[in-house]
Amino acid sequence: MHSKVLLFALTLPALLSAQNRIVGNAAEAEAGRGLFRIVCAPCHGIQAKGGRGPDLTTGVFNSGNRDEDLFRVISQGVSGTEMPGYGVRFGTDNIWRFVAYLRSATNRRAVASVGNATAGEKLFWSKGACGQCHRVGQRGGPMGPDLTRAGRKRSYEYLRAALTDPNAELTTGYYKITVVTRDGKTISGVQKGFDNFSAQLMTVDGVIHSFLRENVQSCEREYVSLMPSYKSWSETELNDIVAFLVTLRGDL
Ligand code: HEC
Ligand code: HEC
């Protein structure tokens, strides 16, 4: 609490002088890189090329391309997403060190866009039946994660791996619950609630089922995906569908 007050009480000239001292200075960028590897790499990758979080080396940022924009997003985070704010924990100088590092890591080589997003969009709604479980804008089903902002939230590699190996990096919270009722019926779906006494799950039709554990034969939670693997698809189909996912930036 105290440090938060200090951070935001900093005067504009003090902020600017820290920026001028740190951004563009190679030693500070190196210090930023060291911190980044410990704090940010779990989501953005050891070289900032992305993973669970977006690639930060393309030179283009959704939150704006000025140093101040990066400073803001790293200090405050992006609310409603996995991106936490670091201002309170690290303080102004360290936030500028992250900015300095990201500036030095920029690799403007355009990411080779191999797929055809229009063909990918067709596959998404037809052959892939992705819309059965995923929403994009107003369309689609609710059992899987909403993909409206997938291209903004996730890196290319993460999206591609999600298709061919859904269990590799399970989206947090989307665990599988299987209940066998007293009359022998098996129902599986995504966990909505789970404790010692009860379980709630959503089936693929979007219906939420609630059970008291004492009233069912068995109730099991597994850390596996309910998404089928698309490993058997051709390279072209996979490239197309990922090209479509990359275009999803939340503006629908
Ligand atoms: C727990 C995972 C996680 C960690 C740890 C994390 N980030 Fe993020 N970060 C994300 C996600 C997810 C997004 C995309 C948010 C969205 O949907 O807009 C993001 C977005 C960003 C953006 C904005 C990208 C853009 O295009 O505007 C920057 C910059 C950023 N992170 C830097 C960092 C830095 C620097 C650190 C370490 C101090 C860090 N992140 C730690 C997950 C994480
Ligand atoms: C039967 C339901 C179902 C179908 C069909 C399905 N998915 Fe999924 N998908 C899920 C579930 C559940 C998750 C969350 C668990 C996980 O990480 O695999 C998920 C996760 C994902 C993720 C990771 C999202 C994130 O932000 O972490 C992506 C990307 C994705 N699916 C894309 C697709 C695409 C593209 C298709 C069609 C080719 C598809 N899915 C078909 C249920 C489904």
Side-chain angles (χ1 to χ4, degrees), residues 12-244:
L12 188 59
L15 263 179
L16 282 177
S17 89
Q19 177 182 0
N20 291 337
R21 185 161 38 80
I22 294 171
V23 180
N25 175 310
E28 298 285 10
E30 189 53 28
R33 187 173 75 98
L35 277 175
F36 187 94
R37 293 192 144 212
I38 299 164
V39 183
C40 322
C43 292
H44 290 287
I46 203 88
Q47 291 177 304
K49 288 184 162 310
R52 203 172 188 91
D55 186 343
L56 300 175
T57 65
T58 62
V60 182
F61 295 96
N62 290 299
S63 31
N65 282 320
R66 298 170 314 159
D67 292 345
E68 294 84 330
D69 299 321
L70 290 178
F71 182 89
R72 193 193 60 242
V73 74
I74 299 168
S75 349
Q76 297 175 11
V78 183
S79 72
T81 77
E82 286 161 65
M83 174 64 196
Y86 291 95
V88 173
R89 200 168 133 204
F90 285 106
T92 309
D93 281 12
N94 282 323
I95 302 296
W96 284 124
R97 287 186 183 109
F98 287 124
V99 176
Y101 164 61
L102 290 180
R103 289 302 187 210
S104 75
T106 300
N107 174 359
R108 284 178 203 281
R109 222 168 5 103
V111 178
S113 176
V114 275
N116 175 332
T118 312
E121 182 169 12
K122 277 213 193 85
L123 286 168
F124 188 94
W125 298 110
S126 58
K127 181 177 171 188
C130 317
Q132 201 192 357
C133 300
H134 293 287
R135 271 205 181 110
V136 173
Q138 300 299 312
R139 240 181 120 182
M143 189 181 83
D146 190 321
L147 297 179
T148 308
R149 301 170 80 251
R152 180 167 176 168
K153 267 165 78 171
R154 308 299 195 192
S155 69
Y156 184 90
E157 287 73 20
Y158 179 98
L159 293 171
R160 192 164 168 120
L163 295 179
T164 51
D165 193 1
N167 289 324
E169 204 161 351
L170 209 59
T171 313
T172 313
Y174 287 84
Y175 309 127
K176 178 179 177 183
I177 303 270
T178 303
V179 167
V180 180
T181 60
R182 284 255 168 90
D183 51 0
K185 233 176 32 188
T186 302
I187 303 176
S188 294
V190 154
Q191 170 182 336
K192 291 291 157 186
F194 192 77
D195 59 31
N196 288 336
F197 308 103
S198 67
Q200 287 81 43
L201 59 91
M202 184 191 277
T203 38
V204 68
D205 52 10
V207 176
I208 294 185
H209 305 258
S210 292
F211 300 95
L212 282 178
R213 295 179 71 162
E214 59 182 19
N215 292 342
V216 299
Q217 224 182 85
S218 70
C219 176
E220 193 188 352
R221 169 164 61 180
E222 293 168 279
Y223 295 97
V224 300
S225 181
L226 281 143
M227 172 161 158
S229 167
Y230 291 82
K231 207 156 54 192
S232 63
W233 278 24
S234 72
E235 279 298 292
T236 312
E237 287 171 322
L238 289 171
N239 288 339
D240 289 351
I241 209 143
V242 178
F244 168 60

